[in-house]
Amino acid sequence: MESVLEKAVSFFVDNFPSTTLLSILGPLGLLWAWACLWFAGKLKRDKGWKTGYSRKTFHFLTFFSVAILQATLGTPGVCLFGGMASLVILYSLMKGDGNILYEALAREKDAPHRTYFIVAPYFATLLGGLLGNMLFHEAALMGYLAAGVGDAAGEVVGTRFGRHQYKVKGWRGVEAVRSWEGSAGVFLFCLLSLSLGVWLSPQFAFTPGYVLLLPSIALASAVAEAISPHGWDNFTMQIIPSGLALWLL
Protein backbone atom coordinates (compact mmCIF):
# COMPACT_ATOMS: atom_id res chain seq x y z
CA MET A 1 0.00 0.00 0.00
CA GLU A 2 1.33 3.43 -0.95
CA SER A 3 2.28 5.77 1.87
CA VAL A 4 1.01 9.34 1.98
CA LEU A 5 4.45 10.56 0.87
CA GLU A 6 4.51 8.14 -2.06
CA LYS A 7 1.03 9.26 -3.13
CA ALA A 8 2.11 12.89 -2.95
CA VAL A 9 5.21 12.23 -5.05
CA SER A 10 3.14 10.28 -7.59
CA PHE A 11 0.64 13.14 -7.74
CA PHE A 12 3.33 15.71 -8.54
CA VAL A 13 5.02 13.46 -11.10
CA ASP A 14 1.74 12.71 -12.86
CA ASN A 15 0.71 16.36 -12.94
CA PHE A 16 4.03 18.04 -13.66
CA PRO A 17 3.42 20.66 -16.40
CA SER A 18 4.74 20.02 -19.88
CA THR A 19 7.59 22.10 -21.29
CA THR A 20 5.10 24.00 -23.47
CA LEU A 21 2.84 24.74 -20.51
CA LEU A 22 5.80 25.84 -18.41
CA SER A 23 7.11 28.18 -21.09
CA ILE A 24 3.74 29.81 -21.81
CA LEU A 25 1.65 29.65 -18.65
CA GLY A 26 4.61 30.09 -16.29
CA PRO A 27 5.42 33.71 -17.21
CA LEU A 28 1.75 34.56 -17.82
CA GLY A 29 0.73 33.05 -14.48
CA LEU A 30 3.45 34.95 -12.65
CA LEU A 31 2.41 38.23 -14.28
CA TRP A 32 -1.29 37.61 -13.63
CA ALA A 33 -0.74 36.70 -9.96
CA TRP A 34 1.37 39.83 -9.47
CA ALA A 35 -1.23 41.98 -11.26
CA CYS A 36 -4.04 40.57 -9.08
CA LEU A 37 -2.17 41.35 -5.86
CA TRP A 38 -1.04 44.77 -7.08
CA PHE A 39 -4.61 45.63 -8.08
CA ALA A 40 -5.90 44.58 -4.65
CA GLY A 41 -3.20 46.66 -2.95
CA LYS A 42 -3.98 49.68 -5.12
CA LEU A 43 -7.66 49.48 -4.15
CA LYS A 44 -6.63 49.59 -0.49
CA ARG A 45 -3.97 52.30 -0.81
CA ASP A 46 -5.56 54.63 -3.35
CA LYS A 47 -9.28 53.95 -2.91
CA GLY A 48 -9.30 53.49 0.84
CA TRP A 49 -10.68 49.96 0.75
CA LYS A 50 -10.60 48.00 3.99
CA THR A 51 -8.16 45.10 4.09
CA GLY A 52 -11.09 42.68 4.25
CA TYR A 53 -12.07 43.90 0.78
CA SER A 54 -8.59 44.06 -0.80
CA ARG A 55 -7.59 40.68 0.62
CA LYS A 56 -10.69 39.01 -0.75
CA THR A 57 -10.27 40.73 -4.11
CA PHE A 58 -6.99 38.85 -4.52
CA HIS A 59 -8.58 35.74 -3.04
CA PHE A 60 -11.45 35.83 -5.53
CA LEU A 61 -9.29 36.58 -8.58
CA THR A 62 -6.80 33.79 -7.89
CA PHE A 63 -9.35 31.13 -6.91
CA PHE A 64 -11.52 31.92 -9.92
CA SER A 65 -8.41 31.72 -12.13
CA VAL A 66 -7.64 28.31 -10.65
CA ALA A 67 -11.22 27.15 -11.28
CA ILE A 68 -10.93 28.16 -14.95
CA LEU A 69 -7.55 26.42 -15.25
CA GLN A 70 -8.95 23.26 -13.63
CA ALA A 71 -11.83 23.20 -16.13
CA THR A 72 -9.62 23.88 -19.16
CA LEU A 73 -6.02 22.71 -18.57
CA GLY A 74 -6.56 20.35 -15.66
CA THR A 75 -4.43 19.84 -12.57
CA PRO A 76 -1.04 20.59 -14.23
CA GLY A 77 -2.26 24.10 -15.03
CA VAL A 78 -3.52 24.54 -11.48
CA CYS A 79 -0.22 23.39 -9.98
CA LEU A 80 1.79 25.70 -12.21
CA PHE A 81 -0.32 28.76 -11.44
CA GLY A 82 -0.20 27.88 -7.74
CA GLY A 83 3.59 27.93 -7.91
CA MET A 84 3.63 31.30 -9.63
CA ALA A 85 1.21 32.78 -7.10
CA SER A 86 3.40 31.39 -4.31
CA LEU A 87 6.39 33.30 -5.69
CA VAL A 88 4.39 36.53 -5.70
CA ILE A 89 3.22 36.02 -2.12
CA LEU A 90 6.79 35.18 -1.02
CA TYR A 91 8.00 38.41 -2.63
CA SER A 92 5.32 40.40 -0.79
CA LEU A 93 6.41 38.87 2.53
CA MET A 94 10.04 39.75 1.83
CA LYS A 95 9.07 43.37 1.16
CA GLY A 96 6.97 43.59 4.33
CA ASP A 97 5.22 46.53 6.00
CA GLY A 98 4.33 49.42 3.72
CA ASN A 99 4.73 47.54 0.46
CA ILE A 100 1.62 47.66 -1.72
CA LEU A 101 1.60 43.89 -2.23
CA TYR A 102 2.06 43.10 1.45
CA GLU A 103 -0.50 45.62 2.61
CA ALA A 104 -3.10 44.14 0.25
CA LEU A 105 -3.09 40.99 2.41
CA ALA A 106 -2.00 42.07 5.90
CA ARG A 107 -4.91 42.91 8.19
CA GLU A 108 -4.27 45.64 10.74
CA LYS A 109 -6.37 43.78 13.33
CA ASP A 110 -4.02 40.78 13.08
CA ALA A 111 -1.10 42.76 14.51
CA PRO A 112 1.41 41.79 15.82
CA HIS A 113 0.95 38.60 13.78
CA ARG A 114 0.15 40.14 10.40
CA THR A 115 2.66 38.01 8.51
CA TYR A 116 1.54 34.82 10.24
CA PHE A 117 -2.03 35.40 9.08
CA ILE A 118 -0.82 35.71 5.50
CA VAL A 119 1.32 32.57 5.72
CA ALA A 120 -1.25 30.39 7.54
CA PRO A 121 -4.05 30.95 5.00
CA TYR A 122 -1.54 30.41 2.21
CA PHE A 123 -0.56 26.98 3.55
CA ALA A 124 -4.21 26.20 4.28
CA THR A 125 -5.04 27.05 0.66
CA LEU A 126 -2.11 25.02 -0.67
CA LEU A 127 -2.91 21.99 1.49
CA GLY A 128 -6.61 22.16 0.66
CA GLY A 129 -5.90 22.39 -3.06
CA LEU A 130 -3.43 19.51 -3.06
CA LEU A 131 -5.59 17.19 -0.98
CA GLY A 132 -8.68 18.17 -2.94
CA ASN A 133 -7.02 17.13 -6.18
CA MET A 134 -5.47 13.97 -4.75
CA LEU A 135 -8.68 12.77 -3.10
CA PHE A 136 -11.48 14.19 -5.24
CA HIS A 137 -9.84 14.80 -8.64
CA GLU A 138 -12.07 16.91 -10.95
CA ALA A 139 -14.50 17.58 -8.08
CA ALA A 140 -11.78 19.82 -6.58
CA LEU A 141 -13.25 22.47 -8.87
CA MET A 142 -16.20 22.75 -6.48
CA GLY A 143 -13.85 23.56 -3.62
CA TYR A 144 -12.05 26.24 -5.61
CA LEU A 145 -15.33 27.96 -6.38
CA ALA A 146 -16.78 27.62 -2.88
CA ALA A 147 -13.61 28.99 -1.28
CA GLY A 148 -12.89 31.57 -3.95
CA VAL A 149 -16.39 32.95 -4.31
CA GLY A 150 -18.35 31.88 -1.24
CA ASP A 151 -15.70 32.60 1.37
CA ALA A 152 -14.52 35.78 -0.32
CA ALA A 153 -18.03 37.19 -0.69
CA GLY A 154 -18.87 36.19 2.87
CA GLU A 155 -16.06 38.32 4.30
CA VAL A 156 -17.06 41.27 2.15
CA VAL A 157 -20.68 40.94 3.28
CA GLY A 158 -19.56 40.57 6.89
CA THR A 159 -17.23 43.57 6.69
CA ARG A 160 -19.96 45.75 5.19
CA PHE A 161 -23.12 44.52 6.90
CA GLY A 162 -22.01 42.41 9.86
CA ARG A 163 -23.85 43.61 12.94
CA HIS A 164 -24.48 40.37 14.84
CA GLN A 165 -21.03 39.05 15.61
CA TYR A 166 -19.64 35.90 17.17
CA LYS A 167 -16.09 34.78 17.96
CA VAL A 168 -14.21 31.60 17.11
CA LYS A 169 -11.16 30.55 19.11
CA GLY A 170 -7.99 30.83 17.08
CA TRP A 171 -4.34 29.95 17.39
CA ARG A 172 -1.64 32.28 18.70
CA GLY A 173 -4.20 34.10 20.80
CA VAL A 174 -6.03 35.76 17.90
CA GLU A 175 -9.77 35.13 17.77
CA ALA A 176 -11.75 35.20 14.56
CA VAL A 177 -14.60 37.71 14.75
CA ARG A 178 -17.34 36.68 12.33
CA SER A 179 -20.96 37.65 11.85
CA TRP A 180 -24.22 35.93 11.09
CA GLU A 181 -24.65 38.23 8.12
CA GLY A 182 -21.25 37.16 6.79
CA SER A 183 -22.07 33.48 7.29
CA ALA A 184 -25.34 33.97 5.42
CA GLY A 185 -23.32 35.55 2.62
CA VAL A 186 -21.01 32.52 2.56
CA PHE A 187 -24.02 30.21 2.20
CA LEU A 188 -25.65 32.24 -0.58
CA PHE A 189 -22.51 32.69 -2.66
CA CYS A 190 -21.42 29.10 -2.09
CA LEU A 191 -24.76 28.02 -3.52
CA LEU A 192 -24.26 30.23 -6.57
CA SER A 193 -20.65 29.13 -7.06
CA LEU A 194 -21.50 25.42 -6.69
CA SER A 195 -24.21 25.83 -9.31
CA LEU A 196 -21.60 27.39 -11.59
CA GLY A 197 -19.30 24.43 -10.87
CA VAL A 198 -21.96 21.96 -11.96
CA TRP A 199 -22.36 23.92 -15.18
CA LEU A 200 -18.60 24.12 -15.83
CA SER A 201 -17.67 20.53 -15.04
CA PRO A 202 -18.50 17.68 -17.43
CA GLN A 203 -18.45 15.41 -14.37
CA PHE A 204 -21.82 16.74 -13.21
CA ALA A 205 -25.19 17.20 -14.86
CA PHE A 206 -28.17 18.97 -13.32
CA THR A 207 -30.88 16.69 -11.96
CA PRO A 208 -34.03 17.53 -9.95
CA GLY A 209 -32.28 16.26 -6.83
CA TYR A 210 -29.76 19.10 -7.03
CA VAL A 211 -32.46 21.45 -5.76
CA LEU A 212 -31.89 19.88 -2.34
CA LEU A 213 -28.31 18.65 -2.64
CA LEU A 214 -26.61 21.91 -3.66
CA PRO A 215 -28.12 23.93 -0.77
CA SER A 216 -27.05 21.14 1.61
CA ILE A 217 -23.46 21.32 0.39
CA ALA A 218 -23.53 25.12 0.55
CA LEU A 219 -24.84 24.97 4.13
CA ALA A 220 -22.14 22.49 5.17
CA SER A 221 -19.53 24.78 3.61
CA ALA A 222 -20.88 27.82 5.46
CA VAL A 223 -20.80 25.92 8.77
CA ALA A 224 -17.23 24.78 8.05
CA GLU A 225 -16.19 28.38 7.41
CA ALA A 226 -17.96 29.57 10.56
CA ILE A 227 -16.19 27.18 12.93
CA SER A 228 -12.74 27.05 11.28
CA PRO A 229 -9.81 28.53 13.26
CA HIS A 230 -8.72 31.97 12.11
CA GLY A 231 -6.64 31.62 8.95
CA TRP A 232 -7.57 28.00 8.18
CA ASP A 233 -10.98 28.30 6.54
CA ASN A 234 -9.30 28.16 3.11
CA PHE A 235 -8.60 24.50 3.87
CA THR A 236 -12.02 23.43 5.08
CA MET A 237 -13.78 25.50 2.43
CA GLN A 238 -12.07 23.44 -0.26
CA ILE A 239 -12.23 19.97 1.27
CA ILE A 240 -15.85 20.00 2.49
CA PRO A 241 -17.61 21.05 -0.76
CA SER A 242 -15.29 18.98 -2.98
CA GLY A 243 -15.80 15.82 -0.93
CA LEU A 244 -19.54 16.28 -0.59
CA ALA A 245 -19.92 17.04 -4.30
CA LEU A 246 -18.11 13.85 -5.25
CA TRP A 247 -20.14 11.82 -2.76
CA LEU A 248 -23.59 13.33 -3.32
CA LEU A 249 -23.57 14.47 -6.93
Side-chain angles (χ1 to χ4, degrees):
M1 186 181 222
E2 278 190 312
S3 67
V4 174
L5 179 59
E6 288 172 333
K7 288 181 178 179
V9 171
S10 296
F11 172 81
F12 280 111
V13 170
D14 293 341
N15 292 286
F16 193 82
S18 66
T19 303
T20 301
L21 195 61
L22 279 169
S23 61
I24 297 175
L25 182 61
L28 289 177
L30 184 64
L31 180 61
W32 175 243
W34 181 89
C36 290
L37 190 53
W38 176 84
F39 176 66
K42 191 166 181 64
L43 290 175
K44 177 180 176 180
R45 187 189 66 185
D46 297 348
K47 301 298 183 180
W49 281 31
K50 295 181 179 179
T51 312
Y53 296 155
S54 64
R55 186 182 176 103
K56 291 307 179 179
T57 296
F58 177 69
H59 182 108
F60 170 79
L61 290 172
T62 52
F63 265 100
F64 203 74
S65 299
V66 165
I68 292 173
L69 289 171
Q70 180 75 56
T72 56
L73 298 177
T75 305
V78 171
C79 291
L80 180 55
F81 179 73
M84 296 301 101
S86 298
L87 291 177
V88 172
I89 293 173
L90 177 61
Y91 176 76
S92 76
L93 295 176
M94 292 171 60
K95 300 301 288 184
D97 289 350
N99 178 263
I100 189 173
L101 303 181
Y102 180 86
E103 293 299 334
L105 299 174
R107 296 188 187 99
E108 289 75 14
K109 67 180 182 181
D110 288 335
H113 307 298
R114 299 175 79 204
T115 296
Y116 172 80
F117 284 107
I118 295 175
V119 175
Y122 162 74
F123 278 111
T125 301
L126 182 65
L127 184 60
L130 290 176
L131 286 180
N133 267 286
M134 291 173 64
L135 297 174
F136 311 127
H137 309 293
E138 289 80 5
L141 171 68
M142 304 297 267
Y144 299 149
L145 290 170
V149 179
D151 182 35
E155 180 161 351
V156 172
V157 171
T159 300
R160 177 65 180 85
F161 300 106
R163 298 292 181 269
H164 303 86
Q165 298 181 336
Y166 60 92
K167 294 182 179 180
V168 177
K169 292 291 184 181
W171 296 335
R172 304 195 64 162
V174 180
E175 292 182 319
V177 179
R178 295 176 177 139
S179 69
W180 290 107
E181 292 85 355
S183 294
V186 172
F187 167 74
L188 175 60
F189 284 95
C190 273
L191 180 58
L192 294 174
S193 62
L194 291 170
S195 300
L196 176 62
V198 170
W199 180 73
L200 285 174
S201 176
Q203 182 176 358
F204 306 112
F206 271 110
T207 67
Y210 283 19
V211 174
L212 294 177
L213 293 177
L214 286 178
S216 299
I217 298 173
L219 179 59
S221 302
V223 171
E225 190 275 339
I227 65 176
S228 295
H230 188 34
W232 286 90
D233 51 338
N234 286 352
F235 174 77
T236 55
M237 283 289 288
Q238 291 186 81
I239 295 299
I240 296 299
S242 296
L244 288 177
L246 185 62
W247 177 43
L248 296 175
L249 306 181

